[in-house]
Amino acid sequence: MDLYEHQARQLFAEHGIAVPEAEVIDRAADATEAAGRLGGRVVVKAQVKTGGRGKAGGVKIAADPAAAELTARQILGMDIKGHTVRTVMLAQPVDIEAEFYVSYVLDRTTGTFLAIASAEGGMEIEEVAATRPEAVARIPIGPVEGVTERKAAQIAAAAALPPEVAPVLQRLWQVLTREDALLVEVNPLVRTVDGRILALDGKVTLDDNALFRRSRWGTEGDDPHGDPLEKAAAAKGLNYVRLDGEVGIIGNGAGLVMSTLDVVAGCGARPANFLDIGGGASAGIMADGLSVILSDPAVKSVFVNVFGGITSCDAVADGIVQALRSVRLTKPLVVRLDGNNAVRGRAILHAHAHPLVEQATTMDGAARRAAQLADAA
């Protein structure tokens, strides 16, 4: 379960990580008084569970309480990547001297956690990671060892962060482990002109398996209105989770789909979704899955990864061919079939000869091709 930014900041503050004073409102009329309590000049930030808020116009500076109300009125109700803004956070602005990026994430490929940090935080961190990977440090963290004082200093040194960031790295690890989180991220973590280290933004993903221990959030952590694509998928009975990427994913079996996400990420692309069709690969299920994925404007290519077992690959291929008769394919589709009747399944797709459908015999090869097609789009 993802938390909203203001909830993540609340956790940070509880674990000793400094954050600017802020208030959350859901009515523009409340912004004037809230801004007044915060000193007048405020940052108005849309509260939605997706990235790219700043580039979408969901983060703005208001010079005074009157401007705060006007700005809140402009942001409330906005659509940001399919998420409707229903609350905004007003926060005290700070004078920034330097911006950093720090996070901990579960690395499923190694069974450890990974510290990711950079001395170049901010909105362009993804571009930094893509164009200058040497500027982003990746340090494995053993779950037993954790982030000790020594380990925090090692992470800070590897990422060229100032030494005063090390205590924040230790406290951020406490957030991860004590709150049952799979991801904690601060971007940016800043040093102000007066020398303070503050978390200006935060992202926390809690482990759904531990939510029975996190009753404090109730349903507050969940968007009651939901992502529109997730709602559409749920209505069709699909096991679909929308992610912030450009390669659509369809697979049979949760383990295979999770592995597919990792392989696509390892090829330098970002998965756009998790979609597990389980043992069913009928034309109807394929059509529904493709329809939902192709409705995501961020998707640039689609990767269907199927290992035939009880449901054979030729049945899957028949399902894909029939689905393409009812769904207009607008993005390139890469298909990898392996297992039961894989040769027959590949022959069916080859005979269909759809101009936007390609095949690959290995998962790595298919992932690389899907990533290439997404990058070229």
Side-chain angles (χ1 to χ4, degrees):
M1 179 176 77
D2 292 332
L3 298 184
Y4 289 102
E5 177 195 4
H6 68 272
Q7 295 170 327
R9 286 162 50 109
Q10 179 182 335
L11 284 183
F12 295 163
E14 291 173 1
H15 289 272
I17 300 171
V19 296
E21 290 292 322
E23 293 191 27
V24 178
I25 62 170
D26 58 10
R27 298 191 316 145
D30 296 332
T32 302
E33 291 186 4
R37 289 190 291 269
L38 294 169
R41 184 170 179 265
V42 292
V43 184
V44 184
K45 307 180 76 175
Q47 296 298 285
V48 288
K49 298 179 182 180
T50 187
R53 293 174 301 165
K55 293 180 179 179
V59 179
K60 296 182 178 180
I61 293 282
D64 53 48
E69 179 175 345
L70 177 61
T71 303
R73 198 174 302 280
Q74 293 170 341
I75 294 177
L76 285 168
M78 283 181 62
D79 181 278
I80 300 178
K81 296 183 179 180
H83 297 259
T84 301
V85 180
R86 303 189 184 278
T87 59
V88 295
M89 183 178 71
L90 278 60
Q92 289 179 335
V94 298
D95 294 322
I96 299 172
E97 182 180 81
E99 295 186 350
F100 317 117
Y101 174 92
V102 295
S103 71
Y104 296 116
V105 62
L106 176 63
D107 186 349
R108 298 181 186 275
T109 60
T110 62
T112 63
F113 286 91
L114 191 64
I116 305 175
S118 176
E120 301 182 33
M123 286 197 299
E124 306 304 328
I125 184 62
E126 291 179 352
E127 182 178 341
V128 171
T131 59
R132 292 189 299 107
E134 70 279 1
V136 181
R138 295 171 173 82
I139 310 295
I141 308 291
V144 176
E145 173 197 9
V147 179
T148 61
E149 183 177 347
R150 180 178 178 182
K151 193 70 173 182
Q154 177 190 350
I155 296 168
L161 301 175
E164 58 265 34
V165 169
V168 176
L169 294 173
Q170 287 184 272
R171 294 174 188 136
L172 198 64
W173 177 257
Q174 292 175 0
V175 175
L176 182 87
T177 55
R178 296 180 183 178
E179 303 295 338
D180 294 312
L182 299 175
L183 164 72
V184 292
E185 176 186 87
V186 184
N187 184 36
L189 179 72
V190 304
R191 180 174 60 203
T192 64
V193 295
D194 56 1
R196 294 177 296 158
I197 302 295
L198 300 176
L200 293 197
D201 199 347
K203 181 176 181 180
V204 173
T205 300
L206 302 180
D207 186 348
D208 287 347
N209 295 306
L211 292 184
F212 68 95
R213 291 200 291 259
R214 300 295 151 212
S215 58
R216 61 180 290 189
W217 301 116
T219 58
E220 185 185 0
D222 296 322
D223 185 349
H225 303 278
D227 181 277
L229 289 182
E230 291 184 359
K231 290 180 69 174
K236 298 175 185 292
L238 296 174
N239 185 13
Y240 170 92
V241 178
R242 191 178 187 182
L243 304 174
D244 192 16
E246 60 280 343
V247 178
I249 305 292
I250 299 177
N252 63 328
L256 179 61
V257 178
M258 291 301 297
S259 297
T260 305
L261 301 184
D262 290 337
V263 173
V264 167
C267 293
R270 297 177 303 162
N273 66 275
F274 172 104
L275 176 52
D276 172 21
I277 60 173
S282 67
I285 291 175
M286 275 294 177
D288 287 343
L290 286 172
S291 176
V292 169
I293 288 177
L294 294 172
S295 296
D296 185 347
V299 168
K300 306 301 181 186
S301 68
V302 182
F303 177 14
V304 175
N305 189 18
V306 170
F307 187 87
I310 296 174
T311 302
S312 62
C313 289
D314 56 338
V316 174
D318 280 331
I320 293 173
V321 169
Q322 292 179 51
L324 293 177
R325 291 175 181 146
S326 61
V327 177
R328 180 172 173 267
L329 188 61
T330 56
K331 312 289 174 62
L333 177 68
V334 180
V335 181
R336 176 256 186 172
L337 299 176
D338 200 1
N340 184 14
N341 278 357
V343 174
R344 172 63 180 157
R346 293 172 196 151
I348 291 171
L349 291 179
H350 180 74
H352 183 64
H354 193 290
L356 288 178
V357 176
E358 300 184 18
Q359 295 193 69
T361 56
T362 67
M363 182 162 69
D364 288 345
R368 280 194 299 272
R369 184 54 180 156
Q372 291 169 356
L373 290 167
D375 184 59

